[in-house]
Amino acid sequence: MSPYAFGMATHPGLVRENNEDALAFDAASGVAVLADGMGGYNAGEMASAMAVTLIRADLAHWLLHEGAACSAAELERAVRQAVQKANFGIYNAANGNPQFAGMGTTVVVAVLHGAQLVLAHVGDSRIYRFRHGALAQLTHDHSLLQEQLDAGLLTPEQARFATHKNLVTRALGVEPDVQVDVQQLPLHEEDILLLCSDGLTDMLDDALIAATLAQPRSLQARADALIAQANEAGGRDNISALLVQAKAKSEFSGLLARMRQRP
Ligand code: CA
């Protein structure tokens, strides 16, 4: 029995033939990873699949063998190193195989570890937290658009209609080294985390995402609803959503007690 509830869904959208998004949740270790790949032919799929597979395996293994009583600083370091190792792996694959030349991917990582939450990201995929009915964006996009917003060159209203929304300023697989933003936050039992690709957030505004997350349904049903609404809004890109919540301790220990009582 996992101490987490989760739901996830991905869809190519209504315009693109391929789905270059990838996502996974490791329920044993509380590691969630989502990536949005880029590159010709099937290279984008390869880059995002590599990022998700490598980071999930690396962190699940580390948490199992070293991480049970790790400090927040040790966990942050492990997350940063896992992303950097995946970057180097994708970079080498891109440079060693002509069919994968130039591939890259965004990545967002969330590790739920007791009352701690460690996040990492590169690119314009995002992590949001839904707490007490309020949606908060926890990551800051590495994109040209975000840089222009930060510099005051564009207003948020102008940004909504910008044509270069998908130009990222950082990605995995492009250089042998990558700068990874890592942060640590307290995790509350009722928090729901949303990891998503830009195909979701370009189609749905925060109010609609928050209204969907507030629905009294399973996390899987809510993830499916987010995808359906992004497609109803046009589905111009691949769409992915991963929802995860640490189950309330009382609920979880109650389940454990019932399991122990079985003959
Ligand atoms: Ca995308």
Side-chain angles (χ1 to χ4, degrees), residues 207-252:
L208 190 50
I209 293 173
T212 306
L213 294 183
Q215 294 172 359
R217 312 160 75 183
S218 70
L219 291 185
Q220 185 60 51
R222 283 178 263 187
D224 291 337
L226 288 173
I227 304 292
Q229 289 173 109
N231 273 326
E232 282 162 23
R236 286 199 293 273
D237 193 2
N238 305 149
I239 312 152
S240 298
L242 195 168
L243 296 173
V244 60
Q245 181 177 31
K247 286 181 191 157
K249 278 196 195 80
S250 50
E251 180 190 342
F252 181 52

Side-chain angles (χ1 to χ4, degrees), residues 92-112:
N92 281 333
N95 285 282
N97 303 282
Q99 73 268 35
F100 299 141
M103 71 176 173
T105 185
T106 72
V107 77
V108 280
V109 183
V111 182
L112 292 79

Side-chain angles (χ1 to χ4, degrees), residues 120-177:
H121 84 285
V122 173
D124 65 354
S125 298
R126 292 179 181 171
I127 303 175
Y128 291 83
R129 179 183 61 210
F130 188 65
R131 176 187 288 174
H132 302 315
L135 189 70
Q137 185 179 336
L138 302 179
T139 52
H140 194 71
D141 293 352
H142 303 135
S143 67
L144 185 60
L145 193 67
Q146 187 63 55
E147 286 187 0
Q148 290 174 324
L149 279 167
D150 292 346
L153 299 172
L154 282 181
T155 64
E157 182 62 16
Q158 289 171 319
R160 283 182 56 207
F161 301 101
T163 54
H164 57 279
K165 280 188 180 194
N166 55 355
L167 284 178
V168 294
T169 49
R170 287 190 218 171
L172 299 192
V174 178
E175 302 281 345
D177 287 306

Side-chain angles (χ1 to χ4, degrees), residues 16 21 36-37 124 166 197-199 237-238:
R16 305 197 174 198
D21 290 355
D36 175 355
D124 65 354
N166 55 355
S197 59
D198 64 341
D237 193 2
N238 305 149

Side-chain angles (χ1 to χ4, degrees), residues 34 81 84 108 114 117 136 231:
L34 181 147
Q81 285 178 349
Q84 285 168 339
V108 280
L117 172 67
N231 273 326

